[in-house]
Amino acid sequence: MAEIVVVGAGPAGINATERLCAHGHRVVLVDEGRQAGGQGYRRPSPGLDLDMAALMGTEAGKYEALHARFARLLPLIDYRPQTLVWAVEDNMLHVVQAGVASTLRFDVLVLATGAMDKVAPFPGWTLPGVFTLGGAQVALKDQGCLIGRRVAFLGSSPLLALAAAQYRKLGCEIVAIADTTPFASKLAALPALAQSPRTLWRGLSYLAGAMLAGVPVLHGVTPVEVVGDGHVEALILRDRRGRERHFSCDAIALGYGLKPETQLAELAGATLRFDEAFRLWLPQCDADGRAAPGLYLAGDGAAIGGADAAEASGGLVAMAVLADLGESVDERARLELRRRLARLRGFQKGLAKAFTWPVAQIRALPDEVMLCRCEEVRIGEVRQAMAQQLGPVEINRVKAMTRCGMGRCQGRVCGPALQEIVAGAAGVAGEQAGRLRAQAPVKPIALCVAGEAP
Amino acid sequence: MSRHTADVVIVGGGLIGVWTAFFLARRKQRVVLIEKGVVGAQSSGTNFGNLRLQGRFPGQYPLSLRSQALWEEIEALIGEDCEFAQTGHLYLAYDDEERAKLEGYAQVSESHGLTIERLGPSDLRKRWPWLSEQAVAATFSARDATANPRLVTPAVARAARALGVTIIENACVTDVERSSGGFSVKTADGAHWSSSALVNAAGAWAVAIAERFGETAPIIPAGPPQFVTEPFPYLVEPSIQSVDGSVIFRQIPRGNIILAGYPRTAADPVNHRAPVPPAKTLAAMRALARVAPILAQCHVIRVWSGIEGYLPDMIPVIGPSLTMPGLFHAFGFCGHGFQIGPGVGLCLSEMIVEGATSTPLEPFSIGRFRESVAVSEKFRKEFDGA
């Protein structure tokens, strides 16, 4: 019997696990979270009385269904919550659980590691009160907390309107939804977005709801500055006509879409390639999620597609595993899933055009803007290091010289912006700047987890 | 094909190569330095950054002290800050055998004029109360120092360039041969350099050049695994090392603690990769927590390594070729080249320009590999085959 380990208990990981179990396999499901569900389908903390049905809106049915399926699956699997996978080496995962390091052997590794926010820095973004958009949603779903009473949503992502709608339901005042991508780009992306009319309609309805409630909705903005004395007090933007707009607020949710968590995939042997649409280094897999022998990638950790795509890709990956183990799979179901996944991910490609990563805005940022919060490196320090004689031009060398991307988050937060700053300063396309290489530990681990010296 | 001439061609843009270029340029030589990647990318840029004078190979002290004098004036020499800091180095012994080893080191150091302080458990408790109480003895040398290895090599390279050295990065040497009156060096881009002297400072890749001239050395590529923690309130002033080599650590002003430890790890000089096995990360974490329990909750955030050249007797090759006049070797620094780097560059420049150096370098001759060389105990301890 092959040792199958699935990492990540969101819709992709749960669906893959369920299918593999149905074929009589014993699966170890490892998850960093306290409860299954991943980010999008996150369950509130135990004992917290949150009306999730209201919060999840149109997705409430899927949310309940996933958690009900997981409850049925639980007795059949070796489920390990609150377990961090910090390294992969050969056929071994290195994990930390309950403060103790141990290893977990596998023959087949399914990574469903999900995604995190993509953020672009701008003046004042490190002030307390600025949250990532995902962080704002975690505070809400996990703890029933709002990040502020009067919140501005800024960035470029369909999730801005979604999160704002969730916040509005809980009585938060939304002072603005401001998107850096011009409206014309959204119109141009409509044919691609029409591949998934239901999702398109949902996105439009969130925006319409905000507008009906009198929330200012702006497209094509340029973030100017977050101002405040020790805490967010206002967001200043330039609108598409170049007028400066001032929004008084006590918190800002900042998000430019999602970025796959690819570190484990990279350590496990996946090849990464620069994707021009997302402007990110993404792991390469075939249509079913095969990335390397014995390595399968599913969900947003492989390619951003959202919850429905994650679920489909989890199913496909499970079928690929079964087929590779010599078992028979339902070819018709497989073709149907492939079609569905291609459509959903195609929709995301459309979204990447409608909600663009603001390359020009980032490259034009002034020197004094903080780029790397962990190591407190400003954009000017990177440009200065690169401009000197024999200065670095490749991103890993830039990291070595400036410490940008060298801190607690290992470039997971500043990486995409650093990519643009380096490419801009070197005068090359994004890809030629190189890729920040993943290193274990993928997240910090305390000395004491290693145990006592002999 | 472009043809150029120079007095000296240096192959290898690590610390040794750039310091050699710098001192040759100060002696009015026309120097070309050729580096296959970028300067300071391998062991020169990825090592621990220690400038330790205690516990070195006894025959290396004249070179080592000469080198430390250069380090002590590095900013004046090259005009850039490399985070040089004379923090001192504390060696810890955990049993009688280790205590005897420390005493042996201390006597060698003192015979070369260094000041070594001997400390017992109560002294340690007074000065570093957060150290675990298991150490039975320690020695402290205040002259030992640290610098930031990431910054040094490019900074020295810039200083060399300012003195007129031609530095060529991303140029792979494809051929080296004798030519009339010296050497002819070709690179992958078709450039062709002629020179009267050649310095082989190609680190883990140096043997290929030596073998072109009928010499060899049993070099082994390996990586020095390094680890760094999140920033922590400033606490650790000196570099601190267990004398068994299981851990060495220091804290930089930003607050991060850098640590390293044996055994060393395998490196791949073909693909330029030196991965750090997770088991080694855990071993280093355990070793640090044993020495400094106060750090138990401190998180390791990053690991790295680089590619170094090792030799079985754990001492480098430095000096003239025995088969080819005008060829000089400086490679195989066995993980302790950072401290002696400037001194090696200075001695090589003296040999090349004045024909001799006053610093005794006989123990480092490549000739020792003509017979089978004794494998050092240090070598056995520092490698585990993994």
Side-chain angles (χ1 to χ4, degrees), chain A residues 195-216:
Chain A
Q195 288 184 77
S196 185
R198 184 175 165 272
T199 319
L200 176 59
W201 181 84
R202 259 176 55 211
L204 292 172
S205 68
Y206 293 133
L207 270 182
M211 286 161 151
L212 285 173
V215 174

Side-chain angles (χ1 to χ4, degrees), chain A residues 86-89 92 94 96 101-103 373-376 385 388-393 396-397 399-403 405-410 435 437 439-454, chain B residues 38-42 45 80 83 148 150-151 154 157-158 161 167 169 228-231 252 254 256 259 273 276-279 281-290 292 295-305:
Chain A
W86 65 271
V88 189
E89 186 189 33
M92 201 69 87
H94 285 260
V96 174
S102 62
T103 55
R373 300 181 68 158
C374 301
E375 290 294 311
E376 295 171 312
Q388 66 184 341
Q389 290 272 315
L390 298 167
V393 291
N396 291 287
R397 293 291 294 163
K399 176 175 96 168
M401 296 296 155
T402 63
R403 296 197 172 108
M406 228 191 226
R408 276 192 69 96
C409 88
Q410 288 292 284
R435 170 176 52 83
R437 283 189 294 271
Q439 289 267 25
V442 299
K443 289 191 181 164
I445 50 174
L447 294 186
C448 57
V449 306
E452 295 284 318
Chain B
V38 293
V39 294
Q42 295 301 338
E80 278 191 54
E83 297 176 16
N148 185 338
R150 296 176 197 290
L151 305 182
R158 278 189 287 275
R161 183 179 264 188
I167 292 179
E169 291 184 315
V228 66
T229 71
E230 65 198 319
I252 60 171
R254 179 166 162 74
N256 309 72
L259 60 145
R273 284 286 167 268
V276 177
T281 304
L282 293 168
M285 289 161 68
R286 276 192 289 269
L288 177 56
R290 183 183 80 151
L295 301 176
Q297 295 298 329
C298 205
H299 287 72
V300 167
I301 60 173
R302 205 169 74 81
V303 308
W304 71 95
S305 191

Side-chain angles (χ1 to χ4, degrees), chain A residues 347-413:
Chain A
F347 177 79
Q348 290 289 333
K349 285 262 183 190
L351 283 180
K353 292 190 177 73
F355 300 94
T356 51
W357 175 236
V359 175
Q361 281 184 11
I362 294 167
R363 292 187 182 195
L365 284 167
D367 281 351
E368 62 274 11
V369 173
M370 191 67 77
L371 177 55
C372 169
R373 300 181 68 158
C374 301
E375 290 294 311
E376 295 171 312
V377 182
R378 292 176 194 274
I379 290 176
E381 292 173 67
V382 171
R383 289 178 181 148
Q384 211 178 334
M386 292 180 70
Q388 66 184 341
Q389 290 272 315
L390 298 167
V393 291
E394 191 272 343
I395 197 164
N396 291 287
R397 293 291 294 163
V398 171
K399 176 175 96 168
M401 296 296 155
T402 63
R403 296 197 172 108
C404 186
M406 228 191 226
R408 276 192 69 96
C409 88
Q410 288 292 284
R412 287 161 67 240
V413 176

Side-chain angles (χ1 to χ4, degrees), chain A residues 122 133 151-157 160-161 164 174-182 186 207 210 215-224 235-240 245 247 252-256 355 361:
Chain A
F122 69 106
L133 186 62
V151 182
F153 289 78
L154 169 68
S156 189
S157 164
L160 291 173
I174 312 300
V175 303
I177 299 173
D179 196 309
T180 55
T181 308
K186 296 178 171 100
L207 270 182
V215 174
V217 176
L218 298 87
H219 300 274
V221 305
T222 304
V224 174
L235 170 65
I236 300 171
L237 305 170
R238 248 197 319 280
D239 69 14
R240 63 194 173 83
R245 304 277 300 266
F247 295 96
I252 296 168
L254 182 68
Y256 288 85
F355 300 94
Q361 281 184 11

